[in-house]
Amino acid sequence: MHDRKALNDLYWQTATWIAILSFPVFALCVAFAEPVVVLLFGEPYRSSGTVLSILCIGYYINGGIGFNSLLLRVFGRVRYMVTTDLATAAISIVAMVVLIQGFGAIGAAVATTGTLLVQNALYQWGLRTRTTVEAVDARYVRPYASILIGAAAAVAIERVFDPPLAVGVVVVGL
């Protein structure tokens, strides 16, 4: 039993560190997506900033929640994972067909992010119901709340003041 508690602690410590250490890139790509795209790819790609922002949310949550699929494998819950993966693949295909037709690249980004969120929610549910690891460990709510507040503040600063990217880097760093 002691090893399982230690595994829960290790899982949430690792997930929290991943979320914290990747936060600056996440906040920059969500709040200041257009300037980042222009810096990396040039002015013709400015409009793809929205796509970057949407995709970044999905991939950040995917990484920031931790290695839930690997932990399900450690516990031998492969059937649950395969079922989850097949279900989310079907959801993804339907969402892509529907959203790309109506919204193009933004629809594809929304479908991809939505699929990642559904898959991670199901993996977290699997951790809660099929392992001894908690789906949400209350001891780690505070850092995740800080991340959410920090991201919201960066987005608000960008929307209100529209600062240059250099200022955005400083804002995210703070």
Side-chain angles (χ1 to χ4, degrees), residues 47-85:
S47 64
S48 62
T50 303
V51 173
L52 172 64
S53 184
I54 294 167
L55 287 171
C56 191
I57 291 167
Y59 282 104
Y60 179 76
I61 291 171
N62 185 44
I65 289 178
F67 300 116
N68 47 21
S69 64
L70 293 176
L71 199 52
L72 286 166
R73 280 188 216 146
V74 167
F75 279 92
R77 305 302 185 221
V78 177
R79 184 183 312 210
Y80 180 80
M81 288 180 47
V82 169
T83 304
T84 298
D85 290 346

Side-chain angles (χ1 to χ4, degrees), residues 2-137:
H2 179 70
D3 288 339
R4 292 180 184 240
K5 181 181 179 336
L7 187 60
N8 181 74
D9 291 343
L10 182 62
Y11 172 82
W12 280 106
Q13 288 171 7
T14 303
T16 303
W17 276 111
I18 290 169
I20 290 168
L21 293 174
S22 59
F23 173 78
V25 173
F26 163 70
L28 202 58
C29 289
V30 169
F32 301 93
E34 282 186 9
V36 167
V37 168
V38 170
L39 175 70
L40 295 175
F41 304 110
E43 190 63 40
Y45 292 93
R46 178 178 290 280
S47 64
S48 62
T50 303
V51 173
L52 172 64
S53 184
I54 294 167
L55 287 171
C56 191
I57 291 167
Y59 282 104
Y60 179 76
I61 291 171
N62 185 44
I65 289 178
F67 300 116
N68 47 21
S69 64
L70 293 176
L71 199 52
L72 286 166
R73 280 188 216 146
V74 167
F75 279 92
R77 305 302 185 221
V78 177
R79 184 183 312 210
Y80 180 80
M81 288 180 47
V82 169
T83 304
T84 298
D85 290 346
L86 290 173
T88 54
I91 291 167
S92 179
I93 290 168
V94 171
M96 290 285 183
V97 168
V98 170
L99 293 175
I100 290 173
Q101 286 179 348
F103 302 99
I106 291 177
V110 169
T112 300
T113 295
T115 300
L116 286 169
L117 296 178
V118 167
Q119 184 180 44
N120 273 286
L122 291 172
Y123 282 162
Q124 289 303 111
W125 178 255
L127 287 181
R128 181 181 182 277
T129 60
R130 290 167 172 75
T131 74
T132 58
V133 175
E134 298 175 34
V136 176
D137 191 325

